[in-house]
Amino acid sequence: MLMTAFGIALAGNAQAQGIPKDAPARIEMYPIPSLTLSDRQFLAGDDNGKPVTVVGELRVAQGSGRMPVVVLMHGSGGVGANIPAWTRTFNGMGISTFVIDGFTGRGITATSTNQAQLGRLNLIMDIYHSLDVLAKHPRVDPDRIVLMGFSRGGQAALYASLERFHKRWNTSGLQFAAYIPFYPDCATTYVGDTDVMARPIRIFHGGPDDYNPVRTCKAFVERLKTAGRDVELTEYPDSPHGFDIGLLGANMVAVAAKAQTVRNCRIKETDGGMLVNAETQQPFTYQDPCVELDPHVGGNPATAEAARQAVTDFLRALLKLS
C-alpha cells in the first residue's frame, strides 16, 4: 500500500519535484505465464508445450488516468541498451512502456550464435500473454497499446499482426493499435500471412543490413500492399543492423562474430505447420547451407534520430497525444 501511495504521489507531483519528464512515475515488475513451443507446435495450434514464466517491466509514465503503452520485444541478444533509450523517449511523451524479457525465464542469455535454442514464434506467445497482464491494469488504456520489436523481436512484432495467430493464441480480448518492427527478418512465408489485423504496420530498416536484409521485407510489404493492408517500410542509408543503438551515440559497424543469419534462406510454411527450406523442400534447420555467419551490426546516430522522430510523430497522431 505504501508503494502504491508513493507511486500516485510521484505521478502527481513529479514536475514540482523537478523530476525529468522522461523518468517514469513508478516501475512495476510482472510475471508473465507463457509457453515454450516449437515453431511447428505454434503454427499447428498445438498448446502442448512447456509452461514458463517470463518477465515484463512496466514503466508507468508521469500523468494520471489510463495511459497509452508501448510493448517492447528484444532481439537475439536479449534486452539491450537500445531499449532504455526508447523507454525514455516514450515515457517523456506520456506513454508508459512494457519491456518483455523472453529469455531469462527460459535460462537463455542470447540466441545469436545458436538460434535453434528457441523457436522464433515463442516471442509472439510472450507478446500475446503480455496483453493478459496489461488488460487488467488500472492505468493502461486498452485501446492504445502499441507493439514494437527489434530484430528477432522485430520479426515477432511483425508476425504478431497475423489474424490467424491472433485468433488462435491471443486470449486477452485486446488487440494492438499498431505494429512497429525494427530491422525484422522477413525470410519466412507463412500460410495466410497477408491476412493481418486491421491496424497500421510501420517497419524501419537499414539499406546495408546484412543480418536481416531489407530486400525480403520489401517483398513482403509489396504483398501486403497488394492485399490492401496499411503498411509502410522506411529504409535508411548507412544503417547497419541495430542502427538505433545510435540513440546512445554509437557510430560504428562491427562483425557479430559467429552470429547466424538466414539472409540467403527462403523458408516457407507447408502442411501441418512444417517450416521448409524453399530450395530443398526439406525441413529447415540451422545446419542448412543457406545459414551463414558473421553478419554486421552497428549504430548510426543520424538515422537513429530520424527513426525516433518518425516513430514519435506516428505515435502522436495515432494515440492522439497533445
Side-chain angles (χ1 to χ4, degrees):
M1 181 64 72
L2 285 175
M3 216 161 115
T4 301
F6 176 72
I8 293 170
L10 181 57
N13 298 311
Q15 302 269 330
Q17 298 286 337
I19 296 171
K21 191 177 180 182
D22 63 359
R26 59 184 291 124
I27 301 173
E28 302 170 351
M29 305 300 294
Y30 286 94
I32 307 171
S34 190
L35 285 174
T36 299
L37 302 168
S38 69
D39 286 339
R40 188 171 188 179
Q41 285 178 306
F42 182 96
L43 292 168
D46 176 4
D47 61 3
N48 187 29
K50 180 181 178 181
V52 66
T53 299
V54 298
V55 175
E57 178 197 71
L58 178 65
R59 290 181 172 249
V60 182
Q62 297 174 33
S64 60
R66 291 185 178 270
M67 310 183 78
V69 178
V70 173
V71 175
L72 296 111
M73 189 75 248
H74 62 77
S76 297
V79 179
N82 65 322
I83 289 183
W86 285 106
T87 61
R88 288 192 298 272
T89 292
F90 297 140
N91 290 167
M93 298 170 64
I95 302 172
S96 299
T97 53
F98 192 73
V99 176
I100 302 170
D101 176 359
F103 281 0
T104 304
R106 293 185 170 97
I108 296 171
T109 301
T111 60
S112 309
T113 58
N114 181 11
Q115 296 287 3
Q117 289 180 81
L118 184 69
R120 291 193 176 205
L121 298 170
N122 281 279
L123 297 186
I124 300 178
M125 183 72 72
D126 299 346
I127 285 166
Y128 288 154
H129 282 297
S130 76
L131 289 176
D132 294 329
V133 173
L134 296 174
K136 302 171 186 175
H137 200 287
R139 296 295 309 283
V140 171
D141 183 340
D143 296 321
R144 293 192 296 166
I145 304 175
V146 172
L147 176 60
M148 183 177 190
F150 308 89
S151 193
R152 179 188 260 249
Q155 181 190 47
L158 177 59
Y159 294 108
S161 69
L162 268 62
E163 286 191 6
R164 167 190 167 202
F165 297 167
H166 176 87
K167 289 176 180 176
R168 173 60 185 90
W169 296 111
N170 181 8
T171 61
S172 69
L174 303 184
Q175 57 181 287
F176 290 104
Y179 302 85
I180 307 177
F182 265 62
Y183 36 87
D185 168 21
C186 304
T188 305
T189 301
Y190 296 101
V191 173
D193 61 7
T194 58
D195 295 326
V196 296
M197 303 299 292
R199 296 291 187 270
I201 300 170
R202 298 294 182 266
I203 304 171
F204 295 85
H205 222 306
D209 192 323
D210 66 353
Y211 205 137
N212 294 335
V214 69
R215 68 176 183 273
T216 59
C217 290
K218 285 181 175 178
F220 183 39
V221 165
E222 286 307 308
R223 291 198 294 118
L224 289 171
K225 286 184 174 180
T226 298
R229 311 309 179 194
D230 182 0
V231 58
E232 294 180 10
L233 186 154
T234 302
E235 179 183 352
Y236 294 104
D238 304 318
S239 298
H241 192 75
F243 71 91
D244 60 317
I245 199 69
L247 293 174
L248 301 179
N251 189 5
M252 41 70 75
V253 179
V255 172
K258 298 184 179 179
Q260 295 174 320
T261 168
V262 295
R263 62 191 171 204
N264 289 318
C265 299
R266 290 195 304 118
I267 306 163
K268 67 177 183 179
E269 180 188 358
T270 58
D271 293 344
M274 176 68 73
L275 292 178
V276 302
N277 184 320
E279 298 298 325
T280 65
Q281 296 300 310
Q282 297 300 307
F284 171 79
T285 76
Y286 283 96
Q287 282 73 51
D288 283 10
C290 66
V291 178
E292 299 180 353
L293 304 179
D294 300 336
H296 294 82
V297 295
N300 182 321
T303 58
E305 184 55 41
R308 173 158 59 181
Q309 189 63 53
V311 170
T312 56
D313 288 348
F314 170 68
L315 290 179
R316 283 194 178 93
L318 176 78
L319 304 175
K320 297 179 171 59
L321 302 176
S322 56

